[in-house]
Amino acid sequence: MTRVLLTGFEPFGGESLNPSWQAVRAVAVDPPQGIDVHAAQLPCVFGDAIDALYDAVRETEPDLVVCVGQAGGRPHLTVERVAVNIDDAVIPDNLGARPVDEPVVPGGPAAYFATLPVKACVAAVRDAGLPAAVSQTAGTYVCNHVFYALMHLAATERPGLRGGFVHVPYAPEQVTDRALPSLPVATVAEGLRMIVITAAHRTEDVRAVGGATH
């Protein structure tokens, strides 16, 4: 049985909830058949988030890790292709830190690709009738911070570990006074189930257009 660790974040930026954690928790409560799913909540804090991720990996010894974060304003579940070795925070984290032009891992490579079958995961979500897309950037905030740290761990200490990152839209209750896209948490959770199933059962990606012009 494939063991999967899903992580989501605590609320940040003045929000009262974070749909990434709500959806991850829902998948752990009702996982896909034949897949052992564990969930961990990460603080939205530079450094501490990596510590919490690594603790969860040690505790669960997963085969696959999918970290999930909120990307307010995006209309799709977006499966991230690449993590970059830079922290450049446009807003402070939950403890007030705001690193600018600092590496996630000093001396680490400039970037890592996800080891999820990114385009196959997107296709599976779309086949389920849900909105999904490939993303070329996870930003330079705590989400990318965690994504890069996960891939660095896999590259340096856990070569059998596969992983990646998924960004999800706001929940509807977060945008009642804002004209921004949103998806119900139950819908996001169903999309994450499709991603987990796909990543658990295949390593090779599909060849399909998933690029961007800008």
Side-chain angles (χ1 to χ4, degrees):
M1 180 180 290
T2 302
R3 181 174 296 174
V4 178
L5 172 64
L6 296 178
T7 72
F9 282 100
E10 66 182 359
F12 70 98
E15 299 289 340
S16 61
L17 61 90
N18 191 318
S20 71
W21 171 240
Q22 292 185 322
V24 160
R25 186 171 54 186
V27 177
V29 170
D30 183 19
Q33 186 174 4
I35 300 176
D36 183 20
V37 177
H38 299 259
Q41 187 182 62
L42 306 183
C44 189
V45 177
F46 289 99
D48 290 357
I50 294 176
D51 292 342
L53 170 65
Y54 286 6
D55 285 346
V57 169
R58 283 190 292 267
E59 290 169 6
T60 59
E61 292 292 333
D63 305 297
L64 175 69
V65 180
V66 181
C67 297
V68 184
Q70 171 191 292
R74 291 189 186 181
H76 310 90
L77 278 78
T78 48
V79 185
E80 299 295 343
R81 196 199 295 256
V82 60
V84 295
N85 192 15
I86 194 72
D87 291 332
D88 194 359
V90 66
I91 61 173
D93 69 14
N94 281 357
L95 288 182
R98 192 176 177 183
V100 174
D101 295 342
E102 296 181 10
V104 180
V105 178
Y112 287 109
F113 284 112
T115 49
L116 303 179
V118 171
K119 293 180 178 179
C121 288
V122 168
V125 177
R126 289 176 174 172
D127 287 346
L130 306 176
V134 177
S135 172
Q136 317 304 329
T137 175
T140 56
Y141 193 54
V142 184
C143 288
N144 175 76
H145 182 77
V146 163
F147 182 19
Y148 184 92
L150 169 64
M151 304 318 301
H152 186 72
L153 177 69
T156 59
E157 298 182 31
R158 291 177 177 262
L161 181 66
R162 294 189 298 123
F165 199 99
V166 178
H167 267 120
V168 303
Y170 281 133
E173 54 265 45
Q174 293 177 280
V175 298
T176 54
D177 60 349
R178 294 177 285 183
L180 291 170
S182 66
L183 284 176
V185 168
T187 301
V188 172
E190 186 57 30
L192 292 179
R193 288 187 186 94
M194 296 301 101
I195 290 169
V196 166
I197 291 168
T198 304
H201 289 97
R202 66 180 300 158
T203 56
E204 293 297 318
D205 210 348
V206 297
R207 186 174 177 84
V209 174
T213 56
H214 57 80

